[in-house]
Amino acid sequence: MTEEYAAAVVGAGPVGLNAAIQVQKNGFDVVVLEDSEEIGLPCQCSGLISRSGYEGLGLKYDKTIVNRVRGARIFAPDRTEFKVERFDTVAYVIDRPKLDKVFARDAKELGVDIWLNSSVVDVKDGTVFYKNKAGKGEMVKAKAVVGADGIVSTVRKSMGIEAQKEWYVPGYQITGRGKFDPDFVEVHFGPWADKFFAWVIPESKTTARIGLGVTGKNARTCLEQFMDDRGIKAQKLDFQAGVIPAGPPVTNLVKDNVLLAGDAAFQAKATTGGGIMLGIEASNHAAKAIVDHFKYKTPLTSYQKHVEPVTRELEIHWRVRRYLNQLNDEDLNKLFQRMKAAGMEKFLSDNADMDKPSSFLKKVAGSPKMWMMLPEMIKFLRG
Ligand SMILES: Cc1cc2nc3c(=O)[nH]c(=O)nc-3n(C[C@H](O)[C@H](O)[C@H](O)COP(=O)(O)OP(=O)(O)OC[C@H]3O[C@@H](n4cnc5c(N)ncnc54)[C@H](O)[C@@H]3O)c2cc1C
């Protein structure tokens, strides 16, 4: 007989597991179907998250934090440096596989069933069709289904939502041993990271995650070129490759009884590809819509409305991404110079929020010193 749950979640990443936890906590049985044979692996993430996002979500996974950074050194193609810094921690570098594993542990403790080696192939009329480890077709029924199956989402496809090729940025990253400043993340713009950027995210004084995203070129070769060009010396300890989400947030998030969340819904910042914090925030809204639906018969589409504040922030990131994609290296150099001349380093240091740009933009508009940047801001927003 086909098993039946109140809710089924496709994908045991942080977004899917958080959704499962929030629904199960309210007394409804949840099953999570996960393609991989081990939670958190393969890891395709640099693990940089904002402190404000982490604290705002009330996460209590401090044991997954491997480093705390207090700013970023951002380099233009011509190496002009732009430094954004605070005296205190602004972001955490986390052990991403460990984060997924502690989410899974908490979910299991609450009674969530997690089925590994279960690759979902379709979702139709409340039935989730999947293949087990032996490749045999199976199914499970659920009154609500959350598609949290990452950037190349099968559930999104089953909802008939298309994504464009340019919204996927190939990424490549190594963990390297060398000498690094543990307090600062580095961001580099240049020809080896066309339409994205390269990064150095320190785990400590001696190890860092060094990577880049690039379109239309081999990301691994580009990373070697970047490290050569910028004189970054590191002994490669391991590597990972993955697709970085850099597209607009999906707006039709609910179809029948299926809700999309996380990378599957492009709920990642198109500026940086960071999707852990906003994805988890969105999954809280998806879970609430499901719980309210079960308890009070409210429509599942309430998710769409409640997640709007997140969607608005994601749309700003998308507009900025589209604007940046139009600039060549020379334009970027000029932009950096104008930002420096306007005193943006200090302004960003004092006011920036890694995840939520809307409040920062309001502060720019309200600060006469920043008005020389308004033409750029308008272009950002037009995308
Ligand atoms: C190179 C790189 C660096 C990144 N760095 C950062 C960073 O520093 N900070 C940040 O916030 N974000 C970063 N991201 C993005 C971040 O990894 C994602 O936004 C985040 O993982 C989204 O979580 P999720 O749960 O939506 O999806 P995922 O974490 O991708 O989880 C989806 C899960 O679904 C499973 N799955 C997929 N298809 C199926 C299927 N058909 N059936 C069953 N299961 C399935 C997958 O195995 C996976 O476990 C980075 C991404 C890349 C590629």
Side-chain angles (χ1 to χ4, degrees):
M1 212 180 73
T2 308
E3 286 196 73
E4 195 162 343
Y5 285 80
V9 174
V10 185
V15 172
L17 289 167
N18 181 60
I21 287 170
Q22 302 309 324
V23 175
Q24 184 88 31
K25 253 188 195 167
N26 280 276
F28 301 102
D29 283 343
V30 183
V31 62
V32 178
L33 294 100
E34 167 57 46
D35 183 26
S36 299
E37 61 182 354
E38 185 173 343
I39 299 283
L41 295 180
C43 174
Q44 294 169 331
C45 185
S46 311
L48 185 73
I49 57 171
S50 67
R51 176 182 172 183
S52 58
Y54 179 87
E55 289 178 353
L57 289 167
L59 297 178
K60 301 265 182 283
Y61 296 141
D62 291 10
K63 287 198 173 139
T64 66
I65 298 172
V66 294
N67 189 23
R68 292 166 162 79
V69 294
R70 61 181 188 87
R73 299 174 65 198
I74 308 169
F75 296 90
D78 67 3
R79 298 174 194 227
T80 300
E81 182 182 342
F82 194 89
K83 195 170 188 179
V84 182
E85 63 182 323
R86 299 243 166 100
F87 288 110
D88 204 359
T89 300
V90 65
Y92 300 127
V93 182
I94 54 157
D95 178 332
R96 175 58 205 274
K98 200 167 175 183
L99 180 78
D100 291 18
K101 284 184 166 65
V102 289
F103 262 114
R105 179 203 62 201
D106 285 1
K108 279 189 205 151
E109 276 175 16
L110 282 166
V112 172
D113 285 335
I114 301 179
W115 297 348
L116 300 176
N117 292 307
S118 302
S119 179
V120 171
V121 289
D122 202 3
V123 180
K124 220 181 256 168
D125 304 328
T127 306
V128 179
F129 298 88
Y130 66 98
K131 281 188 189 156
N132 66 18
K133 193 175 182 179
K136 185 170 169 264
E138 307 261 12
M139 55 186 165
V140 59
K141 282 189 166 295
K143 293 187 183 69
V145 178
V146 179
D149 49 342
I151 181 78
V152 191
S153 167
T154 304
V155 179
R156 187 178 67 230
K157 268 184 229 135
S158 79
M159 292 166 81
I161 299 169
E162 304 278 336
Q164 290 178 21
K165 216 174 96 204
E166 314 83 80
W167 302 346
Y168 302 94
V169 176
Y172 184 83
Q173 172 179 276
I174 65 161
T175 303
R177 196 194 307 281
K179 267 173 93 178
F180 305 100
D181 180 345
D183 288 338
F184 286 90
V185 164
E186 288 180 21
V187 174
H188 297 256
F189 291 91
W192 11 258
D194 193 27
K195 306 234 182 325
F196 213 69
F197 58 85
W199 61 84
V200 179
I201 298 177
E203 291 180 348
S204 66
K205 277 184 188 164
T206 52
T207 55
R209 300 165 189 176
I210 307 162
L212 55 68
V214 63
T215 51
K217 291 183 191 163
N218 180 301
R220 185 180 154 186
T221 312
C222 287
L223 183 65
E224 285 162 10
Q225 289 166 354
F226 155 67
M227 289 175 69
D228 263 6
D229 185 31
R230 295 286 152 119
I232 297 170
K233 298 205 183 337
Q235 180 202 347
K236 183 166 154 184
L237 301 176
D238 69 19
F239 73 94
Q240 41 180 277
V243 181
I244 303 168
V250 169
T251 44
N252 299 321
L253 291 165
V254 184
K255 189 174 176 204
D256 304 325
N257 71 336
V258 185
L259 300 82
L260 271 191
D263 277 13
F266 281 93
Q267 286 167 336
K269 299 174 282 183
T271 46
T272 65
I276 304 173
M277 291 295 103
L278 291 180
I280 293 175
E281 188 173 340
S283 72
N284 280 336
H285 294 299
K288 183 172 177 346
I290 292 171
V291 170
D292 286 353
H293 177 67
F294 292 157
K295 282 189 181 164
Y296 314 115
K297 305 215 175 329
T298 51
L300 287 171
T301 46
S302 69
Y303 168 40
Q304 187 86 32
K305 188 168 159 20
H306 294 307
V307 81
E308 254 171 33
V310 178
T311 308
R312 270 199 296 275
E313 301 293 342
L314 290 165
E315 270 163 4
I316 298 174
H317 283 285
W318 168 236
R319 282 162 194 265
V320 175
R321 164 57 46 216
R322 278 203 312 201
Y323 169 69
L324 290 174
N325 283 357
Q326 291 162 20
L327 306 184
N328 59 30
D329 284 355
E330 199 43 48
D331 299 329
L332 279 168
N333 291 335
K334 284 188 191 140
L335 178 64
F336 268 69
Q337 278 149 21
R338 277 178 64 76
M339 285 168 71
K340 270 183 100 76
M344 264 275 180
E345 274 172 308
K346 166 119 182 50
F347 196 79
L348 270 165
S349 299
D350 293 343
N351 298 296
D353 182 302
M354 269 172 72
D355 297 328
K356 302 195 171 167
S358 63
S359 61
F360 172 73
L361 290 177
K362 276 186 208 138
K363 284 178 192 154
V364 171
S367 164
K369 266 176 70 185
M370 288 296 118
W371 287 353
M372 73 179 273
M373 290 308 296
L374 282 179
E376 274 78 9
M377 292 297 159
I378 291 165
K379 284 185 211 154
F380 276 177
L381 294 178
R382 284 208 192 114

